[in-house]
Amino acid sequence: MLAHPSLTSPYTGPPRPRAQATMGRNEPCWCGQGIKWKKCHAGRESQPRFNVFDVEDDARKRGRKGYCSHSFAGTGCSNIIKAHTVQRNGGLAAIAEGKSRVLSVKANLRAMIDHNGNPPPTEVGIGDASVFPGFCGSHDDEIFKPIEGKDVGLTVDEALLFAYRAIAYERFTKAVQVTNAPIQRQMDRGLPLHIQEAIQVRCHLTEAGARRGLTEVEALLQNYRERIEHGQTAGFHYRAYRFDTTLPLAGCGGYMPELAIDGTRLQHLARGTAALEQLTLTITTYAGKSIAMFAWIGPNDGPSGTYLDAFDKLVASEKADALVQIAFEQMENIFFRKSWWEGLPAGQRADLTRRIRSGVGLTVRSPGYYKRSTPLTAESTVIEETRG
């Protein structure tokens, strides 16, 4: 099980660079990991150089270690499965081609290197698409049965299930990121002290953000878990959209709305200590018609509500196009039809590829990021809207 990292990690805070000659062997290392200097950065510059692919290998191994999100203490559950965040029969099958395959934006390090940070989408079978080991078989079957059928009514109870699954997925991915942090700290092996310092500062900023995100999403997951157990919907809001056709993509995830599509600033993600509002989004298909389900816990007129107010100002025929841009901009757990992607104009493929990297690392997210595509990336019209 991926336990809460704060219970197992000696992490103490930001690096505090000091001259090697002033460090005591048993002092906590200047890098802030909470490890004694003699077992951490002492002699680091003379150690063998680091293999960057070890970071990816470590994350992949951690991503296979599962638990049941509905019994987070790890008791009473067995048979942890690769749970789908988007239903296989319907959502993924509706966009699959060939031997039940779809395209994914997830890329490995080799692809990132070979394509200068902008790797092309890769094929994946729908049996492996959108899965994570975040539920036991019993809870996955029991809890999500109402949204695994041939159709949904876009009710508040169904919206709560979509949001719960999205937050469970987000908690899992953030836990992997935090527990992967110690091996990332090894990337300065064999390098001069001033480069070690720069790498440790960058690693600290990444880890601090991941830890904050994990703490917040873990509390949110507990909130959703209790709501599912007791059927509580007070303070929970959603907006759902049904389209007249099958959209070319499906996905599931959560994000903190920072900018509305009209450029309105909603939250400052790098400032303050107050918890940030999380918005979930699921895009999937039932009975040949795609739905988009947004949901959140918080005020109806807060960041998420304001974000969707801007979305609602679009005409019905533009919302599918905007949804494609939002999905590529905000989520990595998305999948799409190969023939659709290959049929897009080169400029649109380049724009969507850029959006995948937006807000990652030093890439700043651009305000007002919706711009009507010509032609539209998805020709579909909203035929039903529900909110609660």
Side-chain angles (χ1 to χ4, degrees), residues 51-92:
N51 182 351
V52 294
F53 292 100
D54 288 346
V55 173
E56 187 171 74
D57 290 341
D58 180 79
R60 187 180 298 110
K61 291 175 182 177
R62 294 180 187 279
R64 298 191 189 108
K65 297 178 181 179
Y67 54 81
C68 182
S69 298
H70 203 68
S71 181
F72 199 59
T75 58
C77 289
S78 59
N79 185 32
I80 304 303
I81 64 170
K82 293 195 297 183
H84 279 274
T85 56
V86 177
Q87 80 271 28
R88 177 175 177 173
N89 296 322
L92 293 171

mmCIF file of all heavy atoms in Angstrom, residues 51-92:
data_model
loop_
_atom_site.group_PDB
_atom_site.id
_atom_site.type_symbol
_atom_site.label_atom_id
_atom_site.label_comp_id
_atom_site.label_asym_id
_atom_site.label_seq_id
_atom_site.Cartn_x
_atom_site.Cartn_y
_atom_site.Cartn_z
ATOM 1 N N ASN A 51 21.651 7.468 -13.348
ATOM 2 C CA ASN A 51 20.917 7.046 -14.539
ATOM 3 C C ASN A 51 19.489 7.577 -14.435
ATOM 4 O O ASN A 51 18.702 7.121 -13.604
ATOM 5 C CB ASN A 51 20.905 5.519 -14.638
ATOM 6 C CG ASN A 51 20.194 5.021 -15.890
ATOM 7 O OD1 ASN A 51 19.567 5.777 -16.619
ATOM 8 N ND2 ASN A 51 20.301 3.727 -16.149
ATOM 9 N N VAL A 52 19.142 8.557 -15.261
ATOM 10 C CA VAL A 52 17.844 9.217 -15.129
ATOM 11 C C VAL A 52 16.677 8.252 -15.348
ATOM 12 O O VAL A 52 15.565 8.495 -14.874
ATOM 13 C CB VAL A 52 17.724 10.400 -16.116
ATOM 14 C CG1 VAL A 52 18.709 11.490 -15.757
ATOM 15 C CG2 VAL A 52 17.921 9.941 -17.557
ATOM 16 N N PHE A 53 16.900 7.162 -16.045
ATOM 17 C CA PHE A 53 15.816 6.214 -16.289
ATOM 18 C C PHE A 53 15.423 5.469 -15.016
ATOM 19 O O PHE A 53 14.356 4.853 -14.961
ATOM 20 C CB PHE A 53 16.210 5.234 -17.388
ATOM 21 C CG PHE A 53 16.328 5.880 -18.745
ATOM 22 C CD1 PHE A 53 17.561 6.225 -19.259
ATOM 23 C CD2 PHE A 53 15.196 6.171 -19.492
ATOM 24 C CE1 PHE A 53 17.683 6.835 -20.505
ATOM 25 C CE2 PHE A 53 15.297 6.772 -20.726
ATOM 26 C CZ PHE A 53 16.547 7.115 -21.245
ATOM 27 N N ASP A 54 16.277 5.531 -13.974
ATOM 28 C CA ASP A 54 15.926 4.902 -12.705
ATOM 29 C C ASP A 54 14.721 5.581 -12.060
ATOM 30 O O ASP A 54 13.955 4.946 -11.329
ATOM 31 C CB ASP A 54 17.119 4.951 -11.740
ATOM 32 C CG ASP A 54 18.228 3.994 -12.135
ATOM 33 O OD1 ASP A 54 17.978 3.116 -12.979
ATOM 34 O OD2 ASP A 54 19.349 4.131 -11.601
ATOM 35 N N VAL A 55 14.550 6.890 -12.301
ATOM 36 C CA VAL A 55 13.394 7.601 -11.754
ATOM 37 C C VAL A 55 12.101 7.020 -12.320
ATOM 38 O O VAL A 55 11.147 6.736 -11.599
ATOM 39 C CB VAL A 55 13.483 9.114 -12.070
ATOM 40 C CG1 VAL A 55 12.201 9.824 -11.645
ATOM 41 C CG2 VAL A 55 14.688 9.728 -11.361
ATOM 42 N N GLU A 56 12.073 6.841 -13.623
ATOM 43 C CA GLU A 56 10.883 6.298 -14.277
ATOM 44 C C GLU A 56 10.628 4.852 -13.856
ATOM 45 O O GLU A 56 9.480 4.462 -13.615
ATOM 46 C CB GLU A 56 11.054 6.380 -15.787
ATOM 47 C CG GLU A 56 9.813 6.002 -16.575
ATOM 48 C CD GLU A 56 9.987 6.322 -18.052
ATOM 49 O OE1 GLU A 56 10.732 5.579 -18.731
ATOM 50 O OE2 GLU A 56 9.414 7.313 -18.510
ATOM 51 N N ASP A 57 11.680 4.058 -13.742
ATOM 52 C CA ASP A 57 11.516 2.671 -13.310
ATOM 53 C C ASP A 57 10.923 2.603 -11.911
ATOM 54 O O ASP A 57 10.052 1.779 -11.626
ATOM 55 C CB ASP A 57 12.857 1.940 -13.346
ATOM 56 C CG ASP A 57 13.353 1.688 -14.763
ATOM 57 O OD1 ASP A 57 12.531 1.750 -15.694
ATOM 58 O OD2 ASP A 57 14.569 1.440 -14.931
ATOM 59 N N ASP A 58 11.398 3.487 -11.014
ATOM 60 C CA ASP A 58 10.894 3.512 -9.644
ATOM 61 C C ASP A 58 9.416 3.901 -9.617
ATOM 62 O O ASP A 58 8.607 3.268 -8.925
ATOM 63 C CB ASP A 58 11.708 4.504 -8.811
ATOM 64 C CG ASP A 58 11.231 4.592 -7.372
ATOM 65 O OD1 ASP A 58 11.572 3.687 -6.583
ATOM 66 O OD2 ASP A 58 10.507 5.551 -7.039
ATOM 67 N N ALA A 59 9.042 4.925 -10.383
ATOM 68 C CA ALA A 59 7.644 5.356 -10.426
ATOM 69 C C ALA A 59 6.747 4.254 -10.986
ATOM 70 O O ALA A 59 5.631 4.045 -10.515
ATOM 71 C CB ALA A 59 7.520 6.626 -11.267
ATOM 72 N N ARG A 60 7.242 3.540 -12.003
ATOM 73 C CA ARG A 60 6.451 2.464 -12.601
ATOM 74 C C ARG A 60 6.196 1.351 -11.573
ATOM 75 O O ARG A 60 5.081 0.819 -11.485
ATOM 76 C CB ARG A 60 7.181 1.902 -13.819
ATOM 77 C CG ARG A 60 6.358 0.902 -14.616
ATOM 78 C CD ARG A 60 7.127 0.374 -15.817
ATOM 79 N NE ARG A 60 7.463 1.430 -16.755
ATOM 80 C CZ ARG A 60 8.696 1.892 -16.965
ATOM 81 N NH1 ARG A 60 9.720 1.377 -16.287
ATOM 82 N NH2 ARG A 60 8.903 2.841 -17.844
ATOM 83 N N LYS A 61 7.212 1.010 -10.802
ATOM 84 C CA LYS A 61 7.053 -0.032 -9.785
ATOM 85 C C LYS A 61 6.067 0.408 -8.706
ATOM 86 O O LYS A 61 5.228 -0.366 -8.252
ATOM 87 C CB LYS A 61 8.407 -0.369 -9.170
ATOM 88 C CG LYS A 61 9.357 -1.071 -10.126
ATOM 89 C CD LYS A 61 10.724 -1.276 -9.488
ATOM 90 C CE LYS A 61 11.689 -1.937 -10.474
ATOM 91 N NZ LYS A 61 13.048 -2.078 -9.904
ATOM 92 N N ARG A 62 6.175 1.657 -8.282
ATOM 93 C CA ARG A 62 5.258 2.159 -7.258
ATOM 94 C C ARG A 62 3.824 2.211 -7.783
ATOM 95 O O ARG A 62 2.871 2.035 -7.026
ATOM 96 C CB ARG A 62 5.707 3.536 -6.776
ATOM 97 C CG ARG A 62 7.039 3.521 -6.048
ATOM 98 C CD ARG A 62 7.461 4.895 -5.575
ATOM 99 N NE ARG A 62 8.804 4.869 -5.022
ATOM 100 C CZ ARG A 62 9.115 4.468 -3.793
ATOM 101 N NH1 ARG A 62 8.143 4.065 -2.986
ATOM 102 N NH2 ARG A 62 10.352 4.470 -3.368
ATOM 103 N N GLY A 63 3.687 2.467 -9.087
ATOM 104 C CA GLY A 63 2.367 2.528 -9.684
ATOM 105 C C GLY A 63 1.665 1.195 -9.759
ATOM 106 O O GLY A 63 0.463 1.135 -10.052
ATOM 107 N N ARG A 64 2.398 0.113 -9.505
ATOM 108 C CA ARG A 64 1.786 -1.217 -9.507
ATOM 109 C C ARG A 64 1.307 -1.624 -8.112
ATOM 110 O O ARG A 64 0.595 -2.608 -7.973
ATOM 111 C CB ARG A 64 2.788 -2.259 -10.013
ATOM 112 C CG ARG A 64 3.264 -2.036 -11.453
ATOM 113 C CD ARG A 64 4.019 -3.250 -11.949
ATOM 114 N NE ARG A 64 4.674 -3.009 -13.230
ATOM 115 C CZ ARG A 64 5.980 -2.869 -13.378
ATOM 116 N NH1 ARG A 64 6.783 -2.982 -12.324
ATOM 117 N NH2 ARG A 64 6.510 -2.646 -14.568
ATOM 118 N N LYS A 65 1.735 -0.891 -7.091
ATOM 119 C CA LYS A 65 1.378 -1.239 -5.717
ATOM 120 C C LYS A 65 0.059 -0.566 -5.361
ATOM 121 O O LYS A 65 -0.020 0.655 -5.290
ATOM 122 C CB LYS A 65 2.479 -0.793 -4.758
ATOM 123 C CG LYS A 65 3.819 -1.479 -4.991
ATOM 124 C CD LYS A 65 4.878 -0.956 -4.039
ATOM 125 C CE LYS A 65 6.223 -1.632 -4.284
ATOM 126 N NZ LYS A 65 7.276 -1.122 -3.376
ATOM 127 N N GLY A 66 -0.975 -1.359 -5.167
ATOM 128 C CA GLY A 66 -2.293 -0.790 -4.985
ATOM 129 C C GLY A 66 -2.854 -0.906 -3.585
ATOM 130 O O GLY A 66 -2.229 -1.446 -2.669
ATOM 131 N N TYR A 67 -4.044 -0.383 -3.447
ATOM 132 C CA TYR A 67 -4.801 -0.403 -2.205
ATOM 133 C C TYR A 67 -6.247 -0.130 -2.567
ATOM 134 O O TYR A 67 -6.554 0.234 -3.714
ATOM 135 C CB TYR A 67 -4.292 0.666 -1.229
ATOM 136 C CG TYR A 67 -4.258 2.058 -1.825
ATOM 137 C CD1 TYR A 67 -5.415 2.843 -1.899
ATOM 138 C CD2 TYR A 67 -3.080 2.587 -2.332
ATOM 139 C CE1 TYR A 67 -5.391 4.106 -2.458
ATOM 140 C CE2 TYR A 67 -3.046 3.849 -2.891
ATOM 141 C CZ TYR A 67 -4.210 4.613 -2.946
ATOM 142 O OH TYR A 67 -4.175 5.870 -3.510
ATOM 143 N N CYS A 68 -7.150 -0.268 -1.624
ATOM 144 C CA CYS A 68 -8.548 0.054 -1.881
ATOM 145 C C CYS A 68 -8.841 1.445 -1.342
ATOM 146 O O CYS A 68 -8.743 1.677 -0.128
ATOM 147 C CB CYS A 68 -9.492 -0.963 -1.234
ATOM 148 S SG CYS A 68 -11.233 -0.601 -1.608
ATOM 149 N N SER A 69 -9.189 2.357 -2.212
ATOM 150 C CA SER A 69 -9.462 3.734 -1.811
ATOM 151 C C SER A 69 -10.665 3.840 -0.886
ATOM 152 O O SER A 69 -10.798 4.822 -0.154
ATOM 153 C CB SER A 69 -9.728 4.602 -3.050
ATOM 154 O OG SER A 69 -8.606 4.639 -3.888
ATOM 155 N N HIS A 70 -11.537 2.848 -0.903
ATOM 156 C CA HIS A 70 -12.733 2.904 -0.057
ATOM 157 C C HIS A 70 -12.487 2.293 1.320
ATOM 158 O O HIS A 70 -13.347 2.361 2.187
ATOM 159 C CB HIS A 70 -13.904 2.196 -0.735
ATOM 160 C CG HIS A 70 -15.233 2.665 -0.242
ATOM 161 N ND1 HIS A 70 -15.710 3.939 -0.488
ATOM 162 C CD2 HIS A 70 -16.188 2.056 0.513
ATOM 163 C CE1 HIS A 70 -16.890 4.085 0.077
ATOM 164 N NE2 HIS A 70 -17.206 2.958 0.692
ATOM 165 N N SER A 71 -11.356 1.694 1.510
ATOM 166 C CA SER A 71 -10.973 1.149 2.816
ATOM 167 C C SER A 71 -9.516 1.508 3.017
ATOM 168 O O SER A 71 -8.637 0.655 3.042
ATOM 169 C CB SER A 71 -11.179 -0.365 2.855
ATOM 170 O OG SER A 71 -10.833 -0.886 4.122
ATOM 171 N N PHE A 72 -9.273 2.806 3.170
ATOM 172 C CA PHE A 72 -7.918 3.313 3.030
ATOM 173 C C PHE A 72 -6.963 2.825 4.104
ATOM 174 O O PHE A 72 -5.758 2.846 3.936
ATOM 175 C CB PHE A 72 -7.943 4.842 3.003
ATOM 176 C CG PHE A 72 -6.705 5.438 2.424
ATOM 177 C CD1 PHE A 72 -6.334 5.128 1.122
ATOM 178 C CD2 PHE A 72 -5.910 6.287 3.158
ATOM 179 C CE1 PHE A 72 -5.195 5.661 0.568
ATOM 180 C CE2 PHE A 72 -4.765 6.825 2.602
ATOM 181 C CZ PHE A 72 -4.401 6.523 1.320
ATOM 182 N N ALA A 73 -7.491 2.394 5.236
ATOM 183 C CA ALA A 73 -6.616 1.868 6.269
ATOM 184 C C ALA A 73 -5.991 0.551 5.841
ATOM 185 O O ALA A 73 -5.080 0.046 6.487
ATOM 186 C CB ALA A 73 -7.383 1.672 7.572
ATOM 187 N N GLY A 74 -6.488 -0.009 4.727
ATOM 188 C CA GLY A 74 -5.915 -1.240 4.213
ATOM 189 C C GLY A 74 -6.474 -2.481 4.863
ATOM 190 O O GLY A 74 -5.955 -3.580 4.674
ATOM 191 N N THR A 75 -7.526 -2.324 5.663
ATOM 192 C CA THR A 75 -8.104 -3.478 6.349
ATOM 193 C C THR A 75 -9.410 -3.881 5.674
ATOM 194 O O THR A 75 -10.165 -3.044 5.193
ATOM 195 C CB THR A 75 -8.390 -3.150 7.828
ATOM 196 O OG1 THR A 75 -9.287 -2.021 7.877
ATOM 197 C CG2 THR A 75 -7.109 -2.789 8.550
ATOM 198 N N GLY A 76 -9.664 -5.170 5.667
ATOM 199 C CA GLY A 76 -10.936 -5.673 5.184
ATOM 200 C C GLY A 76 -11.047 -5.805 3.686
ATOM 201 O O GLY A 76 -12.092 -6.197 3.181
ATOM 202 N N CYS A 77 -9.996 -5.465 2.945
ATOM 203 C CA CYS A 77 -10.067 -5.544 1.487
ATOM 204 C C CYS A 77 -8.929 -6.403 0.950
ATOM 205 O O CYS A 77 -7.795 -6.321 1.408
ATOM 206 C CB CYS A 77 -9.987 -4.150 0.849
ATOM 207 S SG CYS A 77 -11.461 -3.146 1.087
ATOM 208 N N SER A 78 -9.261 -7.199 -0.033
ATOM 209 C CA SER A 78 -8.261 -7.979 -0.750
ATOM 210 C C SER A 78 -8.633 -7.910 -2.217
ATOM 211 O O SER A 78 -9.549 -7.181 -2.601
ATOM 212 C CB SER A 78 -8.240 -9.427 -0.247
ATOM 213 O OG SER A 78 -9.524 -10.022 -0.418
ATOM 214 N N ASN A 79 -7.916 -8.634 -3.046
ATOM 215 C CA ASN A 79 -8.222 -8.662 -4.474
ATOM 216 C C ASN A 79 -8.209 -7.264 -5.071
ATOM 217 O O ASN A 79 -9.171 -6.819 -5.700
ATOM 218 C CB ASN A 79 -9.577 -9.330 -4.739
ATOM 219 C CG ASN A 79 -9.881 -9.484 -6.225
ATOM 220 O OD1 ASN A 79 -8.973 -9.661 -7.040
ATOM 221 N ND2 ASN A 79 -11.147 -9.395 -6.584
ATOM 222 N N ILE A 80 -7.098 -6.537 -4.830
ATOM 223 C CA ILE A 80 -6.938 -5.223 -5.431
ATOM 224 C C ILE A 80 -6.829 -5.398 -6.945
ATOM 225 O O ILE A 80 -6.052 -6.214 -7.433
ATOM 226 C CB ILE A 80 -5.692 -4.507 -4.890
ATOM 227 C CG1 ILE A 80 -5.757 -4.420 -3.363
ATOM 228 C CG2 ILE A 80 -5.560 -3.129 -5.499
ATOM 229 C CD1 ILE A 80 -6.981 -3.726 -2.821
ATOM 230 N N ILE A 81 -7.608 -4.623 -7.687
ATOM 231 C CA ILE A 81 -7.674 -4.807 -9.129
ATOM 232 C C ILE A 81 -7.169 -3.568 -9.870
ATOM 233 O O ILE A 81 -6.962 -2.514 -9.272
ATOM 234 C CB ILE A 81 -9.124 -5.105 -9.581
ATOM 235 C CG1 ILE A 81 -10.020 -3.887 -9.293
ATOM 236 C CG2 ILE A 81 -9.652 -6.354 -8.910
ATOM 237 C CD1 ILE A 81 -11.391 -3.981 -9.919
ATOM 238 N N LYS A 82 -6.987 -3.715 -11.168
ATOM 239 C CA LYS A 82 -6.711 -2.559 -12.021
ATOM 240 C C LYS A 82 -8.066 -1.967 -12.397
ATOM 241 O O LYS A 82 -8.708 -2.397 -13.349
ATOM 242 C CB LYS A 82 -5.921 -2.983 -13.259
ATOM 243 C CG LYS A 82 -4.516 -3.457 -12.963
ATOM 244 C CD LYS A 82 -3.656 -3.506 -14.219
ATOM 245 C CE LYS A 82 -4.178 -4.498 -15.229
ATOM 246 N NZ LYS A 82 -3.289 -4.586 -16.426
ATOM 247 N N ALA A 83 -8.479 -0.988 -11.606
ATOM 248 C CA ALA A 83 -9.806 -0.405 -11.787
ATOM 249 C C ALA A 83 -9.795 0.616 -12.918
ATOM 250 O O ALA A 83 -8.880 1.435 -13.021
ATOM 251 C CB ALA A 83 -10.265 0.266 -10.487
ATOM 252 N N HIS A 84 -10.810 0.575 -13.746
ATOM 253 C CA HIS A 84 -10.944 1.542 -14.830
ATOM 254 C C HIS A 84 -11.520 2.851 -14.292
ATOM 255 O O HIS A 84 -12.494 2.854 -13.549
ATOM 256 C CB HIS A 84 -11.867 1.010 -15.925
ATOM 257 C CG HIS A 84 -11.199 0.062 -16.864
ATOM 258 N ND1 HIS A 84 -10.492 0.477 -17.972
ATOM 259 C CD2 HIS A 84 -11.110 -1.288 -16.858
ATOM 260 C CE1 HIS A 84 -10.005 -0.568 -18.618
ATOM 261 N NE2 HIS A 84 -10.368 -1.657 -17.958
ATOM 262 N N THR A 85 -10.910 3.971 -14.671
ATOM 263 C CA THR A 85 -11.474 5.271 -14.337
ATOM 264 C C THR A 85 -12.518 5.696 -15.367
ATOM 265 O O THR A 85 -13.352 6.550 -15.096
ATOM 266 C CB THR A 85 -10.370 6.344 -14.261
ATOM 267 O OG1 THR A 85 -9.657 6.373 -15.512
ATOM 268 C CG2 THR A 85 -9.394 6.033 -13.151
ATOM 269 N N VAL A 86 -12.445 5.121 -16.551
ATOM 270 C CA VAL A 86 -13.468 5.277 -17.588
ATOM 271 C C VAL A 86 -13.917 3.870 -17.956
ATOM 272 O O VAL A 86 -13.074 2.994 -18.184
ATOM 273 C CB VAL A 86 -12.920 5.987 -18.838
ATOM 274 C CG1 VAL A 86 -13.988 6.060 -19.925
ATOM 275 C CG2 VAL A 86 -12.421 7.389 -18.491
ATOM 276 N N GLN A 87 -15.227 3.634 -17.989
ATOM 277 C CA GLN A 87 -15.694 2.264 -18.209
ATOM 278 C C GLN A 87 -15.182 1.721 -19.543
ATOM 279 O O GLN A 87 -15.178 2.430 -20.550
ATOM 280 C CB GLN A 87 -17.227 2.174 -18.104
ATOM 281 C CG GLN A 87 -18.009 2.617 -19.313
ATOM 282 C CD GLN A 87 -18.331 4.096 -19.311
ATOM 283 O OE1 GLN A 87 -17.607 4.886 -18.738
ATOM 284 N NE2 GLN A 87 -19.410 4.466 -19.986
ATOM 285 N N ARG A 88 -14.766 0.472 -19.502
ATOM 286 C CA ARG A 88 -14.205 -0.166 -20.696
ATOM 287 C C ARG A 88 -15.283 -0.365 -21.759
ATOM 288 O O ARG A 88 -15.063 -0.065 -22.931
ATOM 289 C CB ARG A 88 -13.582 -1.506 -20.303
ATOM 290 C CG ARG A 88 -13.016 -2.298 -21.469
ATOM 291 C CD ARG A 88 -12.307 -3.544 -20.973
ATOM 292 N NE ARG A 88 -11.807 -4.358 -22.073
ATOM 293 C CZ ARG A 88 -11.039 -5.423 -21.912
ATOM 294 N NH1 ARG A 88 -10.670 -5.797 -20.698
ATOM 295 N NH2 ARG A 88 -10.626 -6.119 -22.951
ATOM 296 N N ASN A 89 -16.421 -0.905 -21.351
ATOM 297 C CA ASN A 89 -17.518 -1.138 -22.289
ATOM 298 C C ASN A 89 -18.374 0.126 -22.364
ATOM 299 O O ASN A 89 -19.163 0.401 -21.482
ATOM 300 C CB ASN A 89 -18.374 -2.325 -21.836
ATOM 301 C CG ASN A 89 -17.596 -3.615 -21.850
ATOM 302 O OD1 ASN A 89 -16.777 -3.837 -22.735
ATOM 303 N ND2 ASN A 89 -17.837 -4.473 -20.862
ATOM 304 N N GLY A 90 -18.173 0.889 -23.389
ATOM 305 C CA GLY A 90 -18.895 2.145 -23.524
ATOM 306 C C GLY A 90 -17.923 3.268 -23.786
ATOM 307 O O GLY A 90 -17.626 3.600 -24.934
ATOM 308 N N GLY A 91 -17.389 3.834 -22.722
ATOM 309 C CA GLY A 91 -16.504 4.974 -22.865
ATOM 310 C C GLY A 91 -15.288 4.723 -23.723
ATOM 311 O O GLY A 91 -15.013 5.453 -24.679
ATOM 312 N N LEU A 92 -14.524 3.666 -23.410
ATOM 313 C CA LEU A 92 -13.316 3.362 -24.172
ATOM 314 C C LEU A 92 -13.643 2.608 -25.460
ATOM 315 O O LEU A 92 -13.060 2.882 -26.506
ATOM 316 C CB LEU A 92 -12.345 2.562 -23.306
ATOM 317 C CG LEU A 92 -11.766 3.330 -22.114
ATOM 318 C CD1 LEU A 92 -10.989 2.389 -21.190
ATOM 319 C CD2 LEU A 92 -10.860 4.464 -22.576
#
